[in-house]
Amino acid sequence: MADLSDRAFPLLEVRDVTKTFPGVTALSHVNFTLNPGEIHAVVGENGAGKSTLMMILSGVYQPDSGEILLDGQPVRIMNPSHAQSLGITTVYQELSLVPGISVAENVFLNRAPTGPLGLIDWQTLQEATRRLLESLGMDVDPSALVKDLLPSQQQMVEIAKAFSLHVRVVLLDEPTSSLSRDEVDRLFTLLRALRQRGIGIVIITHRVAEVFDLADRITVLRDGRVVGTWRAVETNPDHLVVSMVGREVKEAGHRTGLKLESVVMEARKISTPGLSEVSFTLHPGEILGVAGLGGSGRNELGRVLFGLQRLTGGELRMDGQPLKLTGPLDAIKRGIGYIPPDRKTSGLFMRMAIRDNIVAGSLGAISRWGLVRNELGDRLSEHYRTQLSIRSRSIFQPVSTLSGGTQQKVVVARWLAKRPRVLIVDDPTIGIDTGAKAEIHQLLADLSARGTAIVLISSELLELFTLSHRIMVLRGGRVVGQLTPVEFSDERVMVLAAGGSATGTQGMVYEHD
Amino acid sequence: MTEPGNEHKTFMPGAGTWLGRILRVREFLITLVIILSGVVMRLVTPYFLTASNFLAILIGLVPSGLIVIGETMVLVGGGLDLSVGAVMALSGTLAGLFMLSGLGIALSVLLALIIGGLIGLLNGLLITKIHVNALIATLGTMTIARGVALVLTEGFTVTNLPGAFSYVGQGSLLGMPPMVWLMILVIIVADIAMRHTTFCREIYYVGGNERAALLSGIPVDRVKMSTYVISGLLSASAGIMLASRLMAGTPTAGNGMELSAIAAAVIGGASLVGGEGTILGAALGTFFLAIISNASIILGISIYWQGVVTGIILVLTVAADMFIRQRSSPR
């Protein structure tokens, strides 16, 4: 984009922006520029600050300090609609379409052309939408209902919606997460066409390899700081991944003293929708890592082991006895625990106090004659608040006021209080800051050292490498490999997980769904 | 959107002070408003603050005071029960019809209670097992229960009930009809139960986050079903007591009661998204609405205005609550 460097100002500039939340610095002195006709990828791990940057640019958050310049002029982006009026438009990860109405109405949501009586002029609406979709090279019927479209077509409608405005900057948040390879190609073709028109595009993603060919420049964020910005031609995916992770994978020294002679849980060719003929054994005190891309069946494995999904084939055994789980209640009775990946929607009672969240699973244990003994609950919660250093004023603070990492500790505390024999953990540190992440890792390691068997499902390789005694790799619902600690490497897991050649997957960052 | 920090909220300033804490207790606020209304009424009219008027208020309060307990439990569990008023009418008329058919008073009352409980069970089954939306399920049973009551009586009131049946509603025990004592007793027991029993605490978890409750080992379906059964039983008992007071089973009784019960529960601190609310608050909310209605009558305000006033109070309460919450947790 040499011809654009003559411009006096970049199209959009972020200058020394800092944004903090209680307990967390989400962004620290971030600098970032976007030129017209440029595709600029912002990459980083979960929690690196990518989404915060995006939300600042789209007006959801205000920076604590620093400034944002549009065409060299400082602007305060007050809110998302103000961002729109400035020509900055956002395509969110979660689609914001109304499924039950037509493509045309979605594209012109609340801006539909109206006739003399204030009624919607359907003909003009259809025509305008058709022209817009054609100009963007999209093959979508304006009168089709959004819910009948493929995910990629929905994504395109989402983009078309953004483009029906006088747009200058497009922000895309993980645009490829729900798309197939073909659909990604089509999306990228569209983005290249937009670049030709001089529109600046910011893509936020953690999939380096995917955007590598597309982006003109790439900025790496780590722990809220800019590690660096490189022109795509001057760097390579491996280098970017190292910058994102920021360190070499190190071995944790807790893998000794595992008693392999006894088996606490055994799966014999278990199948369920999304999972076929998976077998493994689990020993007391063992951490079995489960790796796999989104859609590999790794989430289903966690669900089936906790009775949230029924077995359609095969057999689960616990302590040598067949285990037929009828539901989570049954699983808990057998001493199985589960920490779900979606902490906020499935893990926590957000409006309730820390104490109430911790004792949620142990009401029976702190009750006598059907009455809850509050002093026992208080003592139990206070014990875990101290032991897990849950940063809070008191056990009566609502969990909605805690940081993500602290919240996750509360969920962990709930299960510690129940002393499960087998704990299934699905992505326990997703979206958590580095400090709390290390603490939760330590908790899991300690728990396993005391004899709890842990099935650690994770979208982060580093996490798996740090904690696991073994890693089982899933692809397409099947076990495609088992790795021992000496074999742990990004490349090995990725080759197994993606099922391609080593070169095809290098630097492809492991993702969650 | 899993960046750290999205979920951060600044906690309410001054939350630690005793004044701040007390002002956020809804029961205290309503009591304050009730006292204030009493003082105002005392200044305006000598007829309000009298023992006989208070007894009249309490007697009139019995059906709604019982119904609001069940409704609140359902609301706390994240549900909604529109069938309460209709179940009240049905069980009142059924109890009357049973008595007229020669079944004894005790048996008639028992059967009417069981039928109320069964309608609650039906609500619970529809909602938990077939996953019918609570609004639709209870709207359905409401319409059916009311319809059955009208069909059985052809719209007429069931009268000529055995004289002994009047004791609960019209007799006197320590200066008040026994049903008033019963209502007070049930309110106290239910309030304590909701604060301290294991079973009732589970209702708060289910309403707070159903999925997290399930994953924490709380029997979600059983808890939800129980709240509807309790609501059905309490609605039936309200119907029976009303029948005893009026010595008649009225198929049209309790029309619109479901909405005033929800309104009272919300005024008392319950939330329509579940997980919040107390029985004491809801009872006070019901009491407050009853006072307003009583005051309007004494002041000679048209009965049609009562709906307007009740609506305004409801909207004001909820708006004030939202205002306080937004103030205390800025995004």
Side-chain angles (χ1 to χ4, degrees):
Chain A
M1 299 293 114
D3 52 321
L4 296 165
S5 57
D6 303 340
R7 270 174 66 100
F9 315 110
L11 174 57
L12 182 71
E13 181 173 3
V14 170
R15 207 179 268 175
D16 201 32
V17 158
T18 295
K19 176 71 184 171
T20 59
F21 296 102
V24 188
T25 302
L27 289 179
S28 174
H29 304 286
V30 166
N31 289 295
F32 171 84
T33 60
L34 178 70
N35 294 317
E38 178 188 43
I39 298 179
H40 195 150
V42 177
V43 301
E45 287 189 302
N46 286 313
K50 302 178 305 241
S51 294
T52 307
L53 177 62
M54 168 109 159
M55 295 214 197
I56 284 177
L57 291 176
S58 60
V60 176
Y61 292 149
Q62 301 298 318
D64 296 342
S65 64
E67 55 183 355
I68 296 165
L69 296 90
L70 195 64
D71 291 324
Q73 299 298 313
V75 287
R76 275 181 61 89
I77 306 171
M78 310 302 289
N79 53 50
S81 68
H82 183 220
Q84 291 265 356
S85 66
L86 291 169
I88 301 171
T89 190
T90 310
V91 180
Y92 288 103
Q93 190 173 356
E94 295 121 43
L95 301 177
S96 60
L97 300 173
V98 184
I101 63 174
S102 72
V103 169
E105 285 168 279
N106 267 288
V107 169
F108 284 94
L109 203 72
N110 79 34
R111 295 173 292 118
T114 49
L117 291 173
L119 300 175
I120 293 174
D121 181 350
W122 292 103
Q123 206 133 36
T124 315
L125 178 66
Q126 298 277 348
E127 206 37 58
T129 309
R130 190 183 309 281
R131 272 203 310 275
L132 177 73
L133 291 173
E134 271 169 17
S135 76
L136 293 170
M138 294 178 187
D139 181 25
V140 181
D141 175 10
S143 60
L145 298 184
V146 163
K147 65 178 176 193
D148 297 332
L149 301 179
L150 298 170
S152 65
Q153 292 176 312
Q154 293 183 352
Q155 186 96 46
M156 298 207 162
V157 174
E158 182 81 33
I159 293 171
K161 193 175 147 186
F163 277 88
S164 48
L165 304 155
H166 66 289
V167 61
R168 306 190 55 207
V169 176
V170 181
L171 311 171
L172 297 118
D173 187 6
E174 302 284 0
T176 61
S177 57
S178 56
L179 302 186
S180 70
R181 193 66 241 176
D182 283 358
E183 294 170 335
V184 169
D185 286 345
R186 242 176 293 159
L187 173 69
F188 285 1
T189 309
L190 171 64
L191 293 178
R192 288 194 178 96
L194 296 175
R195 170 167 64 187
Q196 287 293 311
R197 298 194 196 171
I199 290 168
I201 298 169
V202 181
I203 296 187
I204 285 182
T205 185
H206 53 246
R207 305 182 188 192
V208 177
E210 212 172 64
V211 294
F212 194 75
D213 295 331
L214 177 71
D216 301 305
R217 284 192 298 162
I218 299 166
T219 292
V220 175
L221 281 181
R222 186 174 76 229
D223 297 335
R225 293 168 188 279
V226 173
V227 179
T229 298
W230 293 274
R231 289 161 67 93
V233 290
E234 293 165 352
T235 182
N236 61 65
D238 287 345
H239 169 241
L240 291 172
V241 171
V242 172
S243 323
M244 279 169 58
V245 178
R247 68 210 134 184
E248 294 301 312
V249 176
K250 61 173 186 290
E251 296 270 317
H254 70 277
R255 295 199 185 92
T256 48
L258 197 58
K259 292 193 186 69
L260 292 175
E261 56 268 31
S262 60
V263 171
V264 56
M265 192 188 245
E266 185 182 0
R268 293 183 181 173
K269 295 195 166 186
I270 56 169
S271 300
T272 184
L275 212 60
S276 49
E277 303 196 343
V278 169
S279 300
F280 63 86
T281 53
L282 193 60
H283 308 99
E286 180 183 32
I287 299 183
L288 172 66
V290 178
L293 300 173
S296 63
R298 60 169 211 252
N299 302 109
E300 285 81 358
L301 179 64
R303 294 169 52 79
V304 83
L305 295 181
F306 193 58
L308 284 166
Q309 208 166 307
R310 292 288 167 86
L311 280 184
T312 54
E315 188 186 37
L316 264 179
R317 295 174 85 89
M318 202 163 171
D319 302 317
Q321 300 296 314
L323 179 69
K324 283 201 166 57
L325 296 173
T326 56
L329 286 180
D330 196 22
I332 289 168
K333 272 189 212 126
R334 311 293 183 98
I336 303 170
Y338 176 65
I339 297 182
D342 38 356
R343 161 175 82 244
K344 273 187 260 180
T345 54
S346 306
L348 290 162
F349 304 90
M350 292 299 267
R351 287 173 294 159
M352 293 192 179
I354 293 174
R355 187 195 89 116
D356 294 327
N357 272 276
I358 291 179
V359 303
S362 312
L363 284 181
I366 59 163
S367 297
R368 190 195 285 165
W369 301 313
L371 294 179
V372 178
R373 296 197 290 169
N374 281 330
E375 70 285 355
L376 278 187
D378 291 355
R379 220 183 302 155
L380 185 80
S381 312
E382 199 56 70
H383 169 74
Y384 285 110
R385 189 173 87 98
T386 318
Q387 195 199 329
L388 275 61
S389 49
I390 294 172
R391 277 178 285 277
S392 52
R393 282 192 321 276
S394 80
I395 54 170
F396 302 107
Q397 191 175 341
V399 292
S400 60
T401 60
L402 305 174
S403 73
T406 313
Q407 287 179 341
Q408 188 69 324
K409 284 190 202 170
V410 173
V411 179
V412 174
R414 185 188 304 153
W415 285 108
L416 291 183
K418 285 194 74 83
R419 304 173 195 282
R421 299 184 54 223
V422 175
L423 184 62
I424 300 139
V425 192
D426 197 340
D427 257 331
T429 61
I430 195 155
I432 286 178
D433 52 292
T434 341
K437 192 181 266 189
E439 285 177 306
I440 285 169
H441 286 167
Q442 194 57 51
L443 285 172
L444 293 176
D446 291 348
L447 194 60
S448 81
R450 287 201 303 273
T452 298
I454 297 177
V455 177
L456 172 67
I457 300 161
S458 181
S459 59
E460 267 185 65
L461 289 179
L462 186 60
E463 179 163 280
L464 290 169
F465 295 164
T466 312
L467 289 171
S468 309
H469 295 92
R470 266 186 305 158
I471 292 177
M472 178 166 87
V473 185
L474 297 179
R475 184 175 77 237
R478 294 176 181 276
V479 178
V480 289
Q482 294 239 17
L483 303 175
T484 56
V486 288
E487 300 168 306
F488 289 176
S489 76
D490 285 30
E491 200 181 334
R492 260 205 149 97
V493 175
M494 287 319 305
V495 168
L496 288 169
S501 65
T503 45
T505 56
Q506 247 177 18
M508 175 171 167
V509 172
Y510 197 65
E511 41 111 8
H512 62 93
D513 38 357
Chain B
M1 310 276 141
T2 47
E3 290 303 329
N6 288 2
E7 57 271 43
H8 286 280
K9 282 175 185 166
T10 312
F11 201 55
M12 186 171 182
T17 68
W18 67 269
L19 187 69
R21 215 174 295 160
I22 272 187
L23 281 176
R24 283 184 300 127
V25 174
R26 185 67 71 84
E27 290 90 332
F28 180 82
L29 271 179
I30 305 174
T31 311
L32 212 66
V33 174
I34 289 174
I35 293 171
L36 209 72
S37 322
V39 169
V40 171
M41 282 302 290
R42 177 71 190 81
L43 296 175
V44 178
T45 161
Y47 304 113
F48 179 76
L49 217 57
T50 63
S52 63
N53 188 43
F54 252 79
L55 187 58
I57 293 180
L58 283 175
I59 290 172
L61 197 62
V62 171
S64 48
L66 286 169
I67 280 178
V68 81
I69 298 170
E71 186 71 68
T72 305
M73 292 173 83
V74 171
L75 288 175
V76 169
L80 186 74
D81 190 353
L82 292 182
S83 68
V84 287
V87 169
M88 174 177 109
L90 178 62
S91 41
T93 48
L94 276 179
L97 288 172
F98 289 146
M99 284 176 214
L100 291 185
S101 75
L103 297 177
I105 293 177
L107 187 59
S108 302
V109 166
L110 185 69
L111 284 176
L113 277 176
I114 290 175
I115 287 166
L118 285 177
I119 297 176
L121 184 66
L122 176 64
N123 283 334
L125 286 171
L126 285 172
I127 290 160
T128 58
K129 302 299 176 197
I130 312 182
H131 303 286
V132 180
N133 174 285
L135 187 114
I136 302 301
T138 61
L139 182 66
T141 51
M142 164 180 125
T143 316
I144 294 169
R146 176 78 64 193
V148 171
L150 289 168
V151 167
L152 290 176
T153 60
E154 293 175 327
F156 292 107
T157 303
V158 182
T159 50
N160 294 323
L161 305 181
F165 181 55
S166 70
Y167 175 68
V168 177
Q170 297 178 0
S172 178
L173 183 72
L174 304 172
M176 291 198 288
M179 66 172 189
V180 175
W181 291 114
L182 266 171
M183 174 191 73
I184 293 172
L185 182 73
V186 176
I187 288 173
I188 292 172
V189 169
D191 186 72
I192 293 174
M194 282 296 268
R195 290 176 203 273
H196 296 290
T197 64
T198 318
F199 164 71
C200 289
R201 294 314 296 172
E202 289 180 341
I203 304 176
Y204 285 89
Y205 287 106
V206 170
N209 184 345
E210 194 175 319
R211 190 159 167 76
L214 183 75
L215 297 184
S216 305
I218 290 168
V220 171
D221 283 359
R222 206 176 72 203
V223 168
K224 283 168 80 176
M225 222 139 39
S226 308
T227 62
Y228 286 100
V229 172
I230 292 170
S231 180
L233 285 171
L234 286 169
S235 304
S237 65
I240 292 160
M241 290 187 197
L242 182 71
S244 168
R245 185 183 111 205
L246 304 173
M247 278 305 271
T250 322
T252 51
N255 221 340
M257 199 148 203
E258 55 285 339
L259 295 183
S260 58
I262 293 168
V266 169
I267 289 173
S271 152
L272 284 182
V273 287
E276 285 171 23
T278 65
I279 302 299
L280 183 62
L284 287 169
T286 312
F287 187 53
F288 179 54
L289 290 182
I291 286 183
I292 295 297
S293 137
N294 174 270
S296 327
I297 293 167
I298 290 181
L299 296 176
I301 299 170
S302 154
I303 189 150
Y304 302 117
W305 275 103
Q306 284 182 32
V308 179
V309 174
T310 309
I312 290 173
I313 292 167
L314 177 67
V315 171
L316 279 182
T317 318
V318 177
D321 188 47
M322 292 315 286
F323 179 72
I324 292 169
R325 283 181 204 213
Q326 277 163 14
R327 281 276 305 273
S328 63
S329 57
R331 284 279 309 169

